[in-house]
Amino acid sequence: MATGSLKKMASIDAQLRLIAPAKVSEDDKLVEYDALLLDRFLDILQDLHGEEVREFVQECYEVAADYDGNRNTEKLEELGNKLTSLDPGDSIVVTKSFSNMLSLANLAEEVQIAYRRRIKKLKKGDFADEASATTESDIEETLKRLLQLNKTPEEVFDALKNQTVDLVLTAHPTQSVRRSLLQKFGRIRDCLTQLYAKDITPDDKQELDEALQREIQAAFRTDEIRRTPPTPQDEMRAGMSYFHETIWKGVPKFLRRVDTALKNIGINERVPYNAPLIQFSSWMGGDRDGNPRVTPEVTRDVCLLARMMAANLYFSQIEDLMFEMSMWRCNEELRVRAEAQRCAKRDAKHYIEFWKQIPSNEPYRAILGDVRDKLYNTRERARQLLSSGVSDVPEDAVFTSVDQFLEPLELCYRSLCDCGDRPIADGSLLDFLRQVSTFGLALVKLDIRQESDRHTDVLDAITQHLGIGSYKEWSEDKRQDWLLSELSGKRPLFGPDLPKTEEIADVLDTFKVISELPYDSFGAYIISMATAPSDVLAVELLQRECGITQPLRVVPLFEKLADLENAPASVARLFSIEWYRNRINGKQEVMIGYSDSGKDAGRLSAAWQLYKTQEELVKVAKEFGVKLTMFHGRGGTVGRGGGPTHLAILSQPPDTIHGQLRVTVQGEVIEQSFGEEHLCFRTLQRFTAATLEHGMHPPVSPKPEWRVLMDEMAVIATEEYRSVVFKEPRFVEYFRLATPELEYGRMNIGSRPSKRKPSGGIESLRAIPWIFAWTQTRFHLPVWLGFGSAFKRVIEKDAKNLNMLKEMYNQWPFFRVTIDLVEMVFAKGDPGIAALYDRLLVSEELQPFGEQLRVNYQETRRLLLQVAGHKDILEGDPYLRQRLQLRDPYITTLNVCQAYTLKQIRDPSFHVKVRPHLSKDYMESSKPAAELVKLNPRSEYAPGLEDTVILTMKGIAAGMQNTG
C-alpha cells in the first residue's frame, strides 16, 4: 500500500478516534474495524471519483459529527447547504457513499459481536442489546439454570423433546437491501474476520486485504435500488435461499449441540430425530391479504418450487452418505431388502458415483441407492410439474410421504445399532434423518392467509345463487346455523354454473390449488380481520366444498385493539359449537397481530392488551379442554412488536407458551437471524432455550395493583394516541408533509401495495410504511406516543405511583421489556432532525403542531428515564451506546440530504446554487458520473432527485437496523 494512503488512513483513523467513543472493554475492536473499512472505502471512492469527492464526503462527515456532539442546529443548515449545492451525478455518488459507509459500519459491528462471543463466554448481564448476554439463551446455560431451580435432568429432557418452535418466514416488504448486496456484505464480513485471525501470514493478509477491497468496490458499483418491484415468486426464492445457505446444515448442527448440552447434565440419550424441536413455515406466496399479486397460480408455483428445492438438497447429500455407509455387517431385515433391491438394479450412467450395480458386501449402499433413485425422480417430477403442469414420472417412482422417505433410513439406523455400530449411526445418518424430520418433502409448510370479507363475499354469491337470501345481511346466529347444517350434510353446495366475479374465482381457485397439491405442502389457513365464529366455519365449509380431503387447520387472526378485546369471547363461542370441537381434536391455534394493534392504539396499550388477551384465551381453552398454540405476528421494529427474541418470549404471560411457540420472522429480520451460519445457530438456540425456560420456569404474574395501574395507563395512552393520530384533523396532512411516506412506494421493496385501500387515510395505510416513515425522520412517533401522558397522569394523581412503576420495572419482565425497548428507540431518535424536516417541508400553519409533538417527545423521554431509574439513555448498555454514536454522523448526513431533496422534489420554487461538478469518473467520459443519473430515465422529477431520496431511505434504514 502506498505511503500516501497510509497517511490518509491515519487521518481518517484519527478523526474516527476523536469522534468515536472510547473502548468499552479490552476486547473492543469496533472502532478499529470501522476505521479499516472506512479507509478502504474512501480509497476506492478517490480512485473511482477523484480526491475532491473524497474530501467532500469527509467534510460532510465532520460537520455531521459536530452536530451529533453538541446538537447545534446551525450545523444541519451548513450540511444542507453543502449537500444541495451538488449536481445530480455528484449527489447520487455522495449519498451512495454514505449509504455504503453505514452498511460497512454495520458489518464492523457484526464482526465485533461475533469476536467478543468467540473469545469469551459472555457473562450474564454483560450488555443488553439484541446481540448480548441478557438477551442470549445459551442452551447449556439454560439447562443448568433449570437444574438449579430443582428440575431433574429427566424432566428437562422430557420437556425439551416434546416442545416445538415453528418459525414462519414472511415476505413482509421490510428487507430494503438487495440480495446481490447481501451476498457481497457476507464476503466483506468474512474477509474482515479472517484479517484479524491470530495465525495469519503476511501473504494471507495481503490477499485478504485485496479481496476486502474488491468486495467493497463491487458493492459500491452495484445499483442499490430495485428498479422493479419483486414478484411473490422472487420473494419466495429470496426467502428459500436462506435454507440453501444456512438453515439446511444449521439445523442438524444445532441439534448436535443440544445433544452435547444434555450429555453435560447427565442425560446419555440424544434428542430423538423425529422430535419436532424446530419447524419452518412460510407465508411467501401464500399471504394474499391485501396483495392482489399472490394468485392461485403463484401459490402452486411456490409449493412446487419448494418441493423441487427440498428434493435437490437431499439429492446433493445422498451420495456422500452412500460413501460413508460402506459397512458390510447388517441385520437380517436389511440384508434381505438389500439383496432384492441390488438384483433389480441396472447400470445408471446419469449418476456420478455408484452408477454400476452395487456389490453384495455393501448392503447399506444398496438401500440408499434406492433412496437416491426416488429422490432423483421426486425432483424431476416437481421440475416437470412446475415448468409444464404435467409430468411423465409415475407417482410410484417418487416419494409421496415423509414416512415413505424415512422408512429405509430408519432401517439403516436400526441395523447399525443392532450390529453394535451406534456411533456410526449417530453420524451423518442421524443428521440426514433429522433433516428429513424437520424439512419433510416440502422444505417449508406454506400458510395461506386471506381476509374474512373475501370468504363472506363467496358465501353471499352462493346463497344468492341458491335463492335463499344474502349471507352478508344475515345475523351471526343465522350464518352459524346455515353453515353448520351444510357442514353436517353431504350435498354439494354449488356447481360450475355459480356466477363468479374475479375476486370470488380467486378465492375458490386458491382452495382448488390446495386440494390438488400434496397435503404436507401446507400449514395453516389464517383468516385476517376475523371477529366471529362464522368466519372460521366459513373456511371449513369452503375447504370441504372444494374437495380438500385433509383440511388445513383454520386459524383466526385478531389484530385491532377491539378485536383483541373481543377475542376470548369469540373463541369461547367457537369452542361451544359441538361440531367444531369434534373437528379440532382438542387443538386450536390463534394468531395475534402486533403491528396493526400498535398502529390502532399505540405501543403501550397494544402491548398490555396482547398480554391480557393471551391470558384470557388460555383460560377459555382450559375450560373447554383444548390445547392452545399462540401464533405471534411480530414485526422487526419495536413499533410492530419486534425486539430481542429471548426477552420477548420470557416476558409473555405464564402458561401461554407451554412448549408450543409459533412466531413470524419478517423481512429484514430473516437476514439478521439466518444470514450466516453463526446467526442461524444463535437464532435456533435463542428460540429453543427461551421456550423451554418459559415453560419450565414461567415469569411472575403481575400483582393485582400492577394490573389496575396498567389498565388505567392503557386507557390514558390510547386516548392520547388516538386524539393525535385519528382525531386531530391536521394530523394526516402533517404526517404526509413531515415524513417521506408518499415516496416510500418508490423503493420497490415488496410485492404488495403499501395501502389496503388506495384512497384511505391512516387507517388504510399498512403498519409497515406507517412505522417506516417515522423511523426515517428519527422521530419514532408510533412507539412512544401515549407513554408520556400515561406516566404523567398516574404520577400526578398519586406520587406513590412512581414507586410502584419502579417496582414494576424491576420485578415484572413484561413491563421491563416494554420500557427497555422504548428506551432503545429513544436512543436512536433525534427531535432535532425531525425539526429540520418540519422547517423545510411542513406548511407554516402546521409548524406549531410539530413543535408540540416534540415537546411531548422530550417529556416522555424524561418520564421514561425516571421510571427506569436511569440518569441517561442506555446508561446500562455502553456497547449499544458506542455503536449508535459511531453510526450517528452517517445517518445525520443522510437525514439532512433526504430532507433537502424532498424539499427540492415538493417545492418547485426552492432554488439551489449548484457548484461545479466534483466527480472525476474513472473512464473520464465527457459527462462524469452522469451515467448514474441515466439509471432512472423515466423519473417524473428533476434528474437525480428520485434516486438520491431512495438511497437516503435505504441508508437510514440500514443505520436504524430496521425499516418497518
Side-chain angles (χ1 to χ4, degrees):
M1 223 166 133
T3 48
S5 111
L6 279 170
K7 270 186 206 152
K8 270 179 246 141
M9 177 180 181
S11 71
I12 275 289
D13 212 3
Q15 276 176 16
L16 252 177
R17 285 174 198 282
L18 283 174
I19 294 161
K23 273 192 171 194
V24 178
S25 63
E26 272 312 297
D27 52 27
D28 179 8
K29 287 181 180 286
L30 180 56
V31 177
E32 200 177 328
Y33 291 155
D34 202 38
L36 174 74
L37 291 178
L38 184 59
D39 171 63
R40 294 295 181 271
F41 174 76
L42 289 172
D43 279 352
I44 289 163
L45 184 66
Q46 182 168 325
D47 289 346
L48 294 176
H49 292 287
E51 202 165 342
E52 281 184 56
V53 169
R54 177 190 177 130
E55 280 169 10
F56 185 87
V57 165
Q58 281 179 238
E59 284 165 23
C60 290
Y61 180 89
E62 283 165 38
V63 176
D66 210 353
Y67 163 77
D68 290 318
N70 56 30
R71 295 289 186 254
N72 174 0
T73 50
E74 286 172 10
K75 290 288 171 192
L76 293 180
E77 208 162 306
E78 183 187 333
L79 189 55
N81 291 335
K82 281 176 83 67
L83 290 163
T84 44
S85 69
L86 296 172
D87 74 11
D90 284 340
S91 176
I92 293 172
V93 169
V94 170
T95 313
K96 207 169 156 46
S97 299
F98 274 94
S99 185
N100 267 264
M101 290 193 292
L102 249 176
S103 296
L104 294 173
N106 283 346
L107 296 175
E109 278 182 29
E110 287 170 31
V111 174
Q112 158 72 2
I113 290 164
Y115 168 72
R116 293 195 63 237
R117 196 172 262 110
R118 270 199 314 277
I119 61 163
K120 65 176 182 186
K121 278 270 193 179
L122 291 175
K123 295 190 287 293
K124 188 152 175 59
D126 203 351
F127 65 126
D129 184 32
E130 171 71 272
S132 74
T134 51
T135 67
E136 202 47 83
S137 320
D138 181 290
I139 190 79
E140 195 163 325
E141 279 173 23
T142 302
L143 299 188
K144 286 177 177 164
R145 197 159 52 243
L146 290 169
L147 294 191
Q148 286 162 4
L149 295 162
N150 297 323
K151 307 289 179 200
T152 66
E154 290 68 30
E155 284 173 332
V156 173
F157 182 46
D158 200 51
L160 184 64
K161 67 184 183 192
N162 287 307
Q163 79 172 33
T164 301
V165 172
D166 187 354
L167 302 176
V168 185
L169 275 56
T170 73
H172 283 36
T174 56
Q175 175 49 282
S176 66
V177 185
R178 292 180 58 203
R179 268 170 76 196
S180 311
L181 283 167
L182 289 172
Q183 287 175 345
K184 292 176 177 62
F185 291 160
R187 291 196 287 269
I188 292 169
R189 219 182 290 133
D190 292 344
C191 290
L192 187 57
T193 306
Q194 290 170 43
L195 263 174
Y196 282 86
K198 278 198 168 59
D199 52 355
I200 188 169
T201 66
D203 286 354
D204 286 343
K205 197 163 192 166
Q206 193 177 337
E207 285 162 19
L208 278 167
D209 199 21
E210 282 174 11
L212 181 69
Q213 293 182 54
R214 181 164 52 247
E215 293 300 341
I216 292 173
Q217 183 160 339
F220 184 58
R221 288 296 221 189
T222 300
D223 186 10
E224 283 178 59
I225 300 172
R226 285 194 182 96
R227 299 294 167 182
T228 52
T231 64
Q233 288 100 320
D234 291 333
E235 288 177 329
M236 186 269 182
R237 281 176 159 88
M240 293 303 105
S241 69
Y242 291 98
F243 285 86
H244 197 264
E245 281 153 30
T246 63
I247 298 172
W248 187 258
K249 295 220 165 95
V251 167
K253 188 177 166 187
F254 165 67
L255 292 171
R256 280 200 174 276
R257 180 60 53 87
V258 176
D259 289 341
T260 307
L262 285 165
K263 208 170 195 174
N264 291 343
I265 62 162
I267 296 283
N268 283 317
E269 263 185 87
R270 292 179 181 275
V271 173
Y273 63 82
N274 54 0
L277 252 69
I278 300 282
Q279 302 284 297
F280 289 93
S281 302
S282 165
W283 278 19
M284 302 176 193
D287 179 11
R288 51 231 327 116
D289 175 11
N291 189 350
R293 297 184 184 104
V294 178
T295 61
E297 187 190 358
V298 164
T299 298
R300 182 180 174 282
D301 285 358
V302 158
C303 286
L304 289 169
L305 185 63
R307 294 185 87 81
M308 184 177 86
M309 285 174 78
N312 198 39
L313 284 163
Y314 290 124
F315 186 78
S316 67
Q317 281 177 211
I318 192 78
E319 286 187 352
D320 292 343
L321 192 60
M322 288 171 78
F323 254 109
E324 284 191 34
M325 294 289 132
S326 54
M327 289 63 69
W328 57 269
R329 261 197 194 85
C330 67
N331 65 13
E332 192 55 31
E333 186 188 6
L334 190 131
R335 180 181 321 278
V336 172
R337 172 94 60 94
E339 195 50 40
Q341 286 180 355
R342 207 177 62 75
C343 299
K345 283 274 180 288
R346 292 198 306 275
D347 286 358
K349 295 182 183 177
H350 56 285
Y351 292 136
I352 295 169
E353 304 289 353
F354 307 111
W355 60 280
K356 288 201 174 103
Q357 195 180 41
I358 289 166
S360 58
N361 63 344
E362 295 175 358
Y364 293 98
R365 287 178 172 172
I367 298 288
L368 294 173
D370 190 56
V371 172
R372 176 179 65 171
D373 291 346
K374 281 208 158 131
L375 283 172
Y376 182 88
N377 290 333
T378 304
R379 182 182 66 178
E380 274 305 289
R381 184 174 164 83
R383 191 183 62 77
Q384 290 173 8
L385 287 170
L386 186 61
S387 56
S388 61
V390 290
S391 170
D392 55 13
V393 178
E395 207 162 275
D396 60 2
V398 303
F399 287 125
T400 53
S401 76
V402 176
D403 292 343
Q404 203 186 355
F405 187 5
L406 280 171
E407 193 273 334
L409 302 171
E410 287 168 336
L411 174 60
C412 292
Y413 189 88
R414 272 199 313 278
S415 171
L416 285 166
C417 293
D418 289 350
C419 300
D421 287 329
R422 181 178 279 273
I424 298 170
D426 283 340
S428 302
L429 179 60
L430 178 63
D431 287 346
F432 198 78
L433 278 161
R434 283 173 163 171
Q435 284 170 321
V436 177
S437 292
T438 304
F439 303 108
L441 292 169
L443 194 60
V444 288
K445 288 189 182 301
L446 185 73
D447 281 0
I448 304 292
R449 180 168 77 139
Q450 181 62 280
E451 275 182 277
S452 57
D453 288 356
R454 298 287 299 273
H455 306 129
T456 306
D457 291 345
V458 174
L459 291 170
D460 191 65
I462 292 170
T463 56
Q464 300 225 29
H465 181 60
L466 295 172
I468 55 174
S470 167
Y471 179 85
K472 260 186 198 167
E473 287 161 20
W474 291 352
S475 67
E476 173 61 18
D477 286 347
K478 188 171 180 187
R479 286 182 183 189
Q480 281 186 37
D481 290 346
W482 180 74
L483 289 165
L484 287 166
S485 75
E486 288 301 332
L487 281 162
S488 309
K490 291 274 190 286
R491 61 167 191 167
L493 255 186
F494 61 90
D497 60 335
L498 177 74
K500 301 183 190 93
T501 62
E502 215 171 294
E503 279 84 5
I504 288 169
D506 184 78
V507 173
L508 292 172
D509 289 347
T510 300
F511 282 111
K512 195 164 178 304
V513 164
I514 298 169
S515 73
E516 288 165 356
L517 287 167
Y519 168 71
D520 64 353
S521 282
F522 298 99
Y525 193 108
I526 293 150
I527 313 167
S528 54
M529 304 296 173
T531 52
S534 63
D535 291 331
V536 174
L537 296 174
V539 174
E540 293 285 7
L541 182 61
L542 289 171
Q543 289 199 86
R544 198 197 72 181
E545 284 305 312
C546 296
I548 298 172
T549 47
Q550 287 177 287
L552 312 190
R553 63 183 189 276
V554 182
V555 177
L557 160 56
F558 301 102
E559 292 178 278
K560 291 221 157 53
L561 197 69
D563 295 342
L564 285 166
E565 284 168 359
N566 298 328
S570 179
V571 171
R573 289 206 308 279
L574 186 61
F575 288 163
S576 59
I577 298 168
E578 192 186 349
W579 181 91
Y580 188 72
R581 276 205 316 283
N582 295 337
R583 151 83 177 95
I584 58 172
N585 199 14
K587 287 180 190 163
Q588 176 69 45
E589 187 178 310
V590 172
M591 182 170 182
I592 48 175
Y594 288 64
S595 313
D596 280 321
S597 55
K599 186 176 132 244
D600 180 40
R603 190 79 202 97
L604 178 69
S605 315
W608 179 229
Q609 190 55 56
L610 284 158
Y611 188 95
K612 291 196 298 185
T613 298
Q614 288 187 71
E615 289 183 315
E616 292 299 316
L617 285 169
V618 167
K619 269 188 208 152
V620 167
K622 272 187 183 156
E623 271 170 45
F624 286 95
V626 172
K627 185 173 184 195
L628 193 69
T629 297
M630 300 301 308
F631 180 7
H632 301 262
R634 294 172 71 217
T637 43
V638 176
R640 296 184 44 247
T645 302
H646 182 92
L647 296 181
I649 294 172
L650 291 183
S651 64
Q652 297 300 327
D655 281 345
T656 53
I657 292 180
H658 256 332
Q660 298 288 321
L661 177 71
R662 205 163 189 250
V663 63
T664 54
V665 184
Q666 301 188 353
E668 83 274 21
V669 184
I670 299 177
E671 171 64 21
Q672 291 158 15
S673 304
F674 299 108
E676 279 198 84
E677 273 181 41
H678 76 96
L679 295 175
C680 172
F681 182 85
R682 238 167 63 206
T683 300
L684 300 179
Q685 176 162 263
R686 264 187 197 140
F687 276 108
T688 304
T691 303
L692 181 69
E693 190 170 341
H694 188 284
M696 297 198 78
H697 179 56
V700 294
S701 277
K703 294 178 182 174
E705 59 268 31
W706 296 353
R707 286 180 180 277
V708 172
L709 192 60
M710 275 304 290
D711 282 338
E712 199 179 323
M713 290 200 303
V715 171
I716 300 164
T718 304
E719 196 182 299
E720 154 134 61
Y721 179 89
R722 288 181 173 166
S723 73
V724 172
V725 174
F726 295 110
K727 295 183 183 147
E728 167 57 66
R730 299 170 296 175
F731 181 77
V732 175
E733 192 190 349
Y734 173 77
F735 168 60
R736 298 260 149 88
L737 292 172
T739 70
E741 185 260 326
L742 292 167
E743 289 74 14
Y744 163 81
R746 299 175 181 277
M747 284 179 71
N748 286 329
I749 62 177
S751 69
R752 82 178 180 190
S754 62
K755 283 192 156 187
R756 283 190 163 92
K757 296 184 180 70
S759 58
I762 301 293
E763 56 289 336
S764 73
L765 187 70
R766 285 196 169 273
I768 291 169
W770 164 243
I771 300 280
F772 181 93
W774 291 111
T775 307
Q776 287 283 306
T777 64
R778 313 265 292 278
F779 199 47
H780 306 285
L781 177 116
V783 179
W784 57 262
L785 185 61
F787 275 87
S789 54
F791 289 151
K792 192 175 171 187
R793 293 253 287 277
V794 296
I795 294 167
E796 278 173 1
K797 181 179 155 191
D798 185 346
K800 284 188 199 139
N801 281 338
L802 177 58
N803 288 332
M804 198 195 292
L805 287 166
K806 287 182 172 178
E807 180 188 58
M808 288 157 68
Y809 179 78
N810 290 316
Q811 294 179 22
W812 184 19
F814 162 78
F815 191 69
R816 186 180 190 116
V817 166
T818 306
I819 300 298
D820 283 353
L821 290 175
V822 178
E823 185 180 350
M824 187 178 80
V825 167
F826 274 125
K828 293 179 176 182
D830 182 352
I833 294 285
L836 174 75
Y837 281 79
D838 274 21
R839 202 167 63 247
L840 289 170
L841 304 168
V842 172
S843 56
E844 220 163 289
E845 60 272 18
L846 287 176
Q847 300 250 353
F849 179 60
E851 188 53 47
Q852 189 48 50
L853 287 175
R854 287 191 292 282
V855 170
N856 190 338
Y857 173 101
Q858 296 291 16
E859 174 77 343
T860 303
R861 185 178 185 274
R862 182 184 67 75
L863 287 160
L864 186 93
L865 287 173
Q866 206 180 346
V867 168
H870 296 166
K871 287 190 187 67
D872 198 7
I873 288 282
L874 293 183
E875 70 172 29
D877 189 353
Y879 285 93
L880 182 58
R881 264 173 79 168
Q882 178 206 39
R883 292 183 350 229
L884 292 176
Q885 276 172 288
L886 261 184
R887 276 185 242 156
D888 269 351
Y890 307 123
I891 305 176
T892 298
T893 307
L894 289 167
N895 273 128
V896 172
C897 183
Q898 185 179 87
Y900 276 89
T901 309
L902 288 171
K903 175 77 173 166
Q904 285 173 273
I905 285 174
R906 294 178 188 177
D907 180 359
S909 64
F910 181 66
H911 288 299
V912 291
K913 189 163 184 283
V914 177
R915 64 192 287 163
H917 185 75
L918 290 177
S919 179
K920 307 282 182 285
D921 203 65
Y922 190 77
M923 291 165 73
E924 295 297 348
S925 65
S926 57
K927 292 178 182 169
E931 280 82 1
L932 285 164
V933 180
K934 287 184 201 156
L935 285 172
N936 190 356
R938 290 195 293 278
S939 175
E940 65 212 67
Y941 305 134
L945 292 183
E946 184 173 343
D947 277 15
T948 301
V949 132
I950 296 171
L951 287 165
T952 61
M953 287 192 206
K954 283 175 170 281
I956 294 164
M960 291 286 144
Q961 294 196 343
N962 37 38
T963 42

